[in-house]
Amino acid sequence: MTTLQTDDFAVEGMTCGSCAGRVERALLDREDVAEAKVNLMAAKVRVTFAPETDVSSLFEEIRNIGYEMGPITSDRATSASEGLFGEETRRQRRTFVASAFFAAPLMVISMLAPHEPLWLAIQWVLSVFLVFVWGRQFHLIALQRVRLGQANMDTLVSISVLAAFFYSTWAAFDGRPVYFETAGMIIALILMGRYLETRAKDRASQAVAKLMELGFSSAVRVVREGQEVEVAQEDLTVGDLVVVLAGEKFPADGVITNGHSTVDESMLTGESLPVERTVGDAVYCGTINGTGRVVFRVTETGADTALSRIVAMVEEVQASKPPIQRLADRVSSVFVPISILIGIVTFVAWLVFGGDLWLAVRNGIAVLIIACPCALGLATPAAIMAGSGRGAELGVLFKNAEVFERTRVIDTVVFDKTGTLTRGEMTLTDVSAEDPDTFLRLVGSIEGATSHPIGRAVAEGARGRGVTIVSPEEVETAAGRGVTGVVDGVRVWVGKSDFLAEAGLETTNQQQEVMGTLEDQAKTVFVAGWEGQVRGVLAVSDSLRPTSGETVSRLRSMKIAVALITGDNARSASVVAGQLGIHDVKAGVLPGEKAQELTLMKDQGAVVGFVGDGINDAVALAAADLGIAIGTGTDVAVESGDVVLMSGDPLGVPTSLALARGTYRVIVGNLVWAFIYNVAAIPLAAAGILNPMVAAFAMAFSSVSVVTNSLRLRRFKALTAP
């Protein structure tokens, strides 16, 4: 099976939703392109294509329909304060200011100056500069579209402005009233709208720009041949030893080999408090070393770092489209030609029934200007860019745009217990055996060879009691039930009592009493044995996270039911559930059964979100209507989730749901505004109620209002415990 390739490319020349649709269709018409997603807001397209495809042929395909497509250059991301379009914003500002310099006197003269040749000539000269110098971008693109048999927003603007200018030129020679200010002000107002729109887009993209900037380090000190030398960040390789002083950023992902410090990881997790890091701990590119000098060994560089993967994930969701956008895309694709037809009908109707040529021209112009579907094209991507960017700042990553729609119907959230509502850091608390040292040597050696949290807790607990553990000769794990292996020639069984019973190792009444007592204390209890006998009982415990209770309370305030599912025994699960006030508890559930339980809940009418963090949760995360993965968990769990919480704080669950729902509300609000704006305004323009300049002002600010409305999401606050 051929592996497809996915890349992002910049696209220049798109001004509205119909442009975006045209670019997508041109790419999708190719047999070697499997998928194409245009992000009008970011002026990018994400293309999935066959690896043998000549990329230059894709560029040529788009050039043939009047747009420029090419690689994304690094200069698009200037700084976190400017967002991704700093240079474009500055260019638009210069253009608008220059047009305003001509439009202001033109407007004053048109209102105050007498209808005399000198003043008419001055108006004509000013309007020439506005229409053919500052407005030439509209005419050039419109001409290009005409040659290709197409039309877009620039076509509507160009037709309107040229109609007003040439009518006024004719009227000046015929002694009729002129309307040069109409042509000039339309250009100035639309340029103002584009400047404000680009500036707002910059602000919406600042979160991604900030993330990209965080990963940059100007100089890196590497230990080579016993000496510290400075190298460029891009020259780092896996295995390098890097020195990081207090206050400096980590230039790559790695593991500390020397030193101890506090590290500010807020850019990854959203948590402001620094965390302790010492030898053996992982550190990540872009995080800030707080207090001490450390040396770390590089494990990931460049695009493979956690920061780069986060940026890629945010860009992925911004490139995707939720189902609600499909209707807007269909409307935008036909809006421009329909608008031109309505404008022509309006012109003819006013000319035939009104008898006034200027009224016919004016009202036709108003229809064309007011009908520009810019707001429709920006409604969804603006909200997604702002919402996903704010989520990244808070340590909440959305995997695709559909999440924003799905969250609004979630009515039940099911938590896996360990590592989500609890800390997930097991500690060996109890050992009941005739010979504890021998017992812990054998059991600890087996458990130390596993990656399970309970296994690690037992091994560390054995070492803490002064017991030496060794590498087992053989280990075999039964997921969710236990583990067996050979140590010093002895076959050892560790796990649940029924797991050992199947191997012929039965617990005694005394051992069952000990197990019951420990389970009543909400501890995870299991047994171990060899040579036909259960030799002892062990217990580990895991404490609740400080914000678990507040998490449950917040979800209930959102009218979301909360349930608990765990592989632990019913007694342990019920104690934890009782502390949190959770009544729906499913205990003793094997990993493979979690997905079945979720499916059963869905069959009963629930719309289920599942929160998990371990390898055992991957199937359940995929089976849920919405999978929320704790980012501190395994890579498999993170890949399976629809939402990733980079922090282990369970309050991230209601925070992510609230942010996603808020983003969806903004998307709907933007689309409703855009639809109402065009549906209501076009008849007003056709009826002669809207002046063309008022229409230009309204059209310009429709796009600005959509983006500005989306920017409200940047003020979203993460939920915190009182």
Side-chain angles (χ1 to χ4, degrees), residues 166 254 357 590 601 681 688:
F166 286 116
L357 178 60
L590 296 177
M601 296 174 72

Side-chain angles (χ1 to χ4, degrees), residues 29 52 171 452 481 567:
D29 284 343
E52 65 272 11
H452 196 282
R481 305 188 68 203

Side-chain angles (χ1 to χ4, degrees), residues 163-216:
F165 175 80
F166 286 116
Y167 171 85
S168 297
T169 301
W170 169 77
F173 285 101
D174 199 44
R176 297 171 178 267
V178 297
Y179 301 94
F180 289 117
E181 78 282 1
T182 298
M185 288 303 294
I186 287 175
I187 292 292
L189 287 170
I190 292 176
L191 290 175
M192 177 184 67
R194 284 197 171 179
Y195 160 59
L196 295 176
E197 176 190 316
T198 307
R199 190 176 70 170
K201 286 162 66 175
D202 259 4
R203 293 180 60 199
S205 68
Q206 281 176 13
V208 177
K210 182 179 178 181
L211 283 173
M212 295 169 68
E213 191 177 73
L214 281 173
F216 174 75

Side-chain angles (χ1 to χ4, degrees), residues 324-401:
I324 195 173
Q325 177 68 15
R326 294 170 190 160
L327 176 61
D329 286 345
R330 286 197 294 269
V331 172
S332 294
S333 66
V334 298
F335 213 92
V336 171
I338 289 177
S339 299
I340 293 176
L341 179 61
I342 295 175
I344 293 173
V345 170
T346 300
F347 169 78
V348 172
W350 276 94
L351 185 62
V352 171
F353 298 106
D356 189 316
L357 178 60
W358 169 245
L359 272 182
V361 171
R362 192 198 76 158
N363 295 335
I365 290 173
V367 167
L368 296 179
I369 292 295
I370 205 70
C372 291
C374 307
L376 271 178
L378 292 172
T380 300
I384 290 176
M385 179 171 281
S388 60
R390 181 55 181 155
E393 292 177 334
L394 298 176
V396 176
L397 304 180
F398 301 103
K399 299 287 281 294
N400 56 68

